[in-house]
C-alpha cells in the first residue's frame, strides 16, 4: 500500500493537524485523512485492538484538551478530533445545601413514621441515616465509576421531598461523554448494584425490628412489598404462637421502610428508558428497535406501578441518549454477562403495587 498523502489543512490548523495526524497514525491504520468543516477527520481500518487503540489515543488527546470521536459512516470507521468542550465549574455549596435540606426532610418523614414508637427521634434518625446512605451509595457508585473512566461528573445533588418518602432521590450531572460503551455500561451498572447491596443490608437489620399486628380488615393504605422484601420478612420475622385470628400485617421499622424505598428507587432506576441507569445499559446492549420496544413496555408498566414516574419516563424517552465517544467498539462479553445481575436485581425489587403514589 502506498503511503498516505496528507492534504494541507487551513493555515490556522497546520501545526495542530500535523500533531493530531501523528498521534492517530501511531494507533490506527489510517486509510484517509483530511479536514472536514475545520475538523481533523480520518477513515481508519478495522483492527483487533480497536477499543484499546482508541483509549490510548483518548488519553493522549485529553492531555492536550482534545477529544476523539469514532463513528460508523457508510460502513467505514470515521474518527474525528475536536476541541474538548469547556465545562462549567461545579458549585459545591449547592450540593451541601441540598444535602442538608434532604437530611431535614428525611428526619421529618422518619419522625412522622415513628410516631407510635417509644422514641420517635431515634426512629427518625435511623430512617434518615439509612435512606441517605442508600441514596448516597447509589450516586457515589456513579461518581467513582465516572472518575475511573475519566468522565467528568458532579458530586450528588440530593432532592428533598415530603412524606411518605422524604426525598425524590439524588442525581449526579455527567459533564462529558463516556470514552466507550464499556464505560457507559459501567456508569449505569455501578449505582444500582452498590445501592441495592446497601439496601439489602438495611432491610435485613430493619425487618426483625418491625412489629406484627393483627387486624380484622385491611387499612385503606398499605404497601405491597417488593419480592425480596417479602422474602426477607417471611424468613426473618417469627410470628408469635398466640396470635389472635385476623389479617396479619407487618408495621415496618423505619430501617425496614428505608430498605423498601431503596428497592423501589432501584427498580425505577433500572427501567430501560432515557438516561435512567437502565437506559444506559439498554443503549449499549440493544439495537434501536429493541430499545424502543423496551422503553414503551417500561412506560406502560409504570402506569400501573407509579404513574407520575410514567410521565417522567415518557419525557426522558423523548430525549436522544448520547452515545459514547467510541460508538464503534462493542461492549465486552463480561459486561454482557453482568447485565444478568441487573435483571435479577430489577425482578427482586419489583413491587406488585406502590399505592403511596
Amino acid at each position: 500500500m502506498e503511503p498516505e498523502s496528507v492534504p494541507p489543512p487551513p493555515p490556522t490548523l497546520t501545526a495542530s493537524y500535523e500533531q493530531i495526524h501523528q498521534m492517530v497514525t501511531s494507533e490506527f491504520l489510517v486509510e484517509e485523512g483530511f479536514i472536514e468543516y475545520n475538523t481533523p477527520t480520518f477513515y481508519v481500518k478495522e483492527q483487533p485492538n480497536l477499543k484499546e487503540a482508541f483509549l490510548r489515543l483518548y488519553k493522549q488527546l485529553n492531555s492536550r484538551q482534545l477529544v476523539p470521536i469514532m463513528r460508523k459512516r457508510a460502513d467505514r470507521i470515521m474518527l474525528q478530533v475536536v476541541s474538548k468542550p469547556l465545562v462549567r465549574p461545579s458549585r459545591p455549596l449547592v450540593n451541601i445545601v441540598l444535602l442538608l435540606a434532604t437530611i431535614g426532610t428525611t428526619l421529618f418523614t422518619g419522625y412522622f413514621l415513628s410516631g407510635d414508637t417509644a422514641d420517635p427521634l431515634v426512629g427518625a434518625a435511623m430512617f434518615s441515616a439509612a435512606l441517605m446512605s442508600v441514596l448516597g451509595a447509589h450516586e457515589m457508585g456513579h461518581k467513582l465509576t465516572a472518575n475511573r473512566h475519566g468522565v467528568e461528573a458532579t458530586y450528588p445533588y440530593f432532592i428533598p421531598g415530603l412524606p411518605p418518602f422524604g426525598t425524590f432521590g439524588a442525581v449526579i450531572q455527567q459533564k462529558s461523554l463516556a470514552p466507550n460503551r464499556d464505560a457507559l455500561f459501567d456508569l449505569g451498572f455501578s449505582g444500582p448494584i452498590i445501592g441495592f447491596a446497601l439496601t439489602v443490608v438495611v432491610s435485613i437489620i430493619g425487618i426483625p425490628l418491625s412489629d406484627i399486628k393483627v387486624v380484622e380488615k385491611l387499612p385503606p393504605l398499605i404497601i405491597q412489598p417488593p419480592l425480596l422484601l417479602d422474602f426477607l420478612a417471611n424468613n426473618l420475622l417469627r410470628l408469635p404462637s398466640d396470635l389472635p385470628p385476623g389479617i396479619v400485617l407487618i408495621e415496618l421499622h423505619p430501617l425496614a421502610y428505608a430498605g423498601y424505598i431503596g428497592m423501589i428507587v432501584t427498580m425505577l432506576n433500572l427501567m430501560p428508558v432515557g438516561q435512567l441507569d437502565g437506559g444506559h445499559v439498554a443503549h449499549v446492549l440493544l439495537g434501536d428497535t429493541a430499545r424502543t420496544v423496551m422503553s414503551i413496555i417500561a412506560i406502560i408498566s409504570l402506569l400501573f406501578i407509579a404513574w407520575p414516574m410514567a410521565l417522567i419516563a415518557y419525557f426522558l424517552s423523548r430525549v436522544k441518549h448520547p452515545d459514547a465517544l467510541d460508538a464503534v467498539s462493542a461492549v465486552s462479553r463480561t459486561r454482557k454477562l453482568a447485565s444478568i445481575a441487573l435483571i435479577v436485581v430489577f425482578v427482586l425489587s419489583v413491587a406488585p403495587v406502590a399505592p403511596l403514589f
Side-chain angles (χ1 to χ4, degrees):
M1 180 177 175
E2 294 182 359
E4 176 199 7
S5 59
V6 179
T12 55
L13 294 176
T14 300
S16 175
Y17 180 85
E18 290 176 345
Q19 293 174 0
I20 292 170
H21 181 271
Q22 184 177 3
M23 286 187 283
V24 172
T25 54
S26 70
E27 297 294 346
F28 294 92
L29 297 174
V30 178
E31 296 179 327
E32 186 179 358
F34 52 92
I35 296 289
E36 183 178 74
Y37 301 112
N38 211 34
T39 300
T41 302
F42 306 88
Y43 283 109
V44 301
K45 283 190 173 183
E46 182 77 53
Q47 58 192 64
N49 65 335
L50 193 69
K51 186 187 300 184
E52 292 76 13
F54 182 88
L55 283 175
R56 290 192 295 268
L57 178 64
Y58 170 77
K59 291 176 181 177
Q60 288 188 66
L61 292 171
N62 192 55
S63 63
R64 294 169 170 80
Q65 299 301 305
L66 298 170
V67 178
I69 301 174
M70 192 159 66
R71 298 286 186 269
K72 278 286 185 74
R73 177 192 282 183
D75 295 327
R76 299 177 72 188
I77 299 175
M78 181 186 70
L79 191 150
Q80 293 184 305
V81 178
V82 299
S83 297
K84 192 174 182 179
L86 293 176
V87 177
R88 292 175 59 185
S90 301
R91 300 172 61 187
L93 181 61
V94 176
N95 301 77
I96 294 172
V97 169
L98 288 174
L99 170 64
L100 295 176
T102 308
I103 291 174
T105 56
T106 53
L107 282 170
F108 175 77
T109 300
Y111 187 87
F112 172 78
L113 295 170
S114 308
D116 296 334
T117 61
D119 194 338
L121 289 177
V122 173
M126 294 176 75
F127 172 79
S128 178
L131 185 54
M132 294 295 289
S133 296
V134 168
L135 296 176
H138 181 118
E139 296 305 327
M140 286 307 296
H142 290 315
K143 174 62 176 173
L144 294 175
T145 302
N147 291 346
R148 182 163 60 90
H149 287 292
V151 177
E152 296 188 54
T154 66
Y155 284 99
Y157 292 95
F158 289 89
I159 307 172
L162 297 175
F165 284 178
T167 176
F168 290 104
V171 297
I172 66 169
Q173 182 184 1
Q174 186 178 318
K175 294 189 173 185
S176 64
L177 296 178
N180 56 33
R181 290 179 172 177
D182 283 351
L184 190 54
F185 177 93
D186 291 349
L187 286 169
F189 179 87
S190 57
I193 289 296
I194 295 175
F196 181 75
L198 190 56
T199 294
V200 173
V201 173
V202 167
S203 301
I204 290 174
I205 297 172
I207 286 175
L209 302 176
S210 301
D211 294 328
I212 297 172
K213 291 188 175 183
V214 178
V215 297
E216 295 183 357
K217 63 178 182 178
L218 290 174
L221 287 177
I222 61 171
I223 62 173
Q224 298 295 331
L227 298 180
L228 179 59
L229 195 67
D230 186 57
F231 172 82
L232 293 175
N234 287 331
N235 287 273
L236 296 178
L237 272 178
R238 296 181 180 179
L239 298 180
S241 57
D242 57 346
L243 277 179
I247 301 173
V248 178
L249 294 179
I250 300 172
E251 190 173 87
L252 292 178
H253 186 273
L255 283 178
Y257 186 63
Y260 163 78
I261 296 176
M263 291 183 193
I264 295 298
V265 168
T266 298
M267 181 270 295
L268 294 175
N269 266 294
L270 286 177
M271 287 288 184
V273 177
Q275 295 192 47
L276 295 175
D277 296 333
H280 290 326
V281 175
H283 184 83
V284 300
L285 294 180
L286 303 176
D288 291 339
T289 302
R291 285 201 305 269
T292 301
V293 172
M294 292 292 290
S295 179
I296 293 172
I297 293 174
I299 292 170
I300 293 174
S301 301
L302 282 173
L303 288 173
F304 299 95
I305 298 173
W307 66 264
M309 278 300 300
L311 295 177
I312 296 173
Y314 170 75
F315 288 113
L316 287 174
S317 70
R318 305 292 295 175
V319 180
K320 183 176 176 59
H321 193 295
D323 213 330
L325 293 172
D326 171 9
V328 176
S329 303
V331 68
S332 70
R333 182 178 301 178
T334 303
R335 289 172 173 84
K336 291 178 182 179
L337 292 174
S339 65
I340 298 173
L342 288 181
I343 296 173
V344 172
V345 167
F346 177 81
V347 172
L348 292 177
S349 300
V350 168
V353 183
L356 289 174
F357 286 109

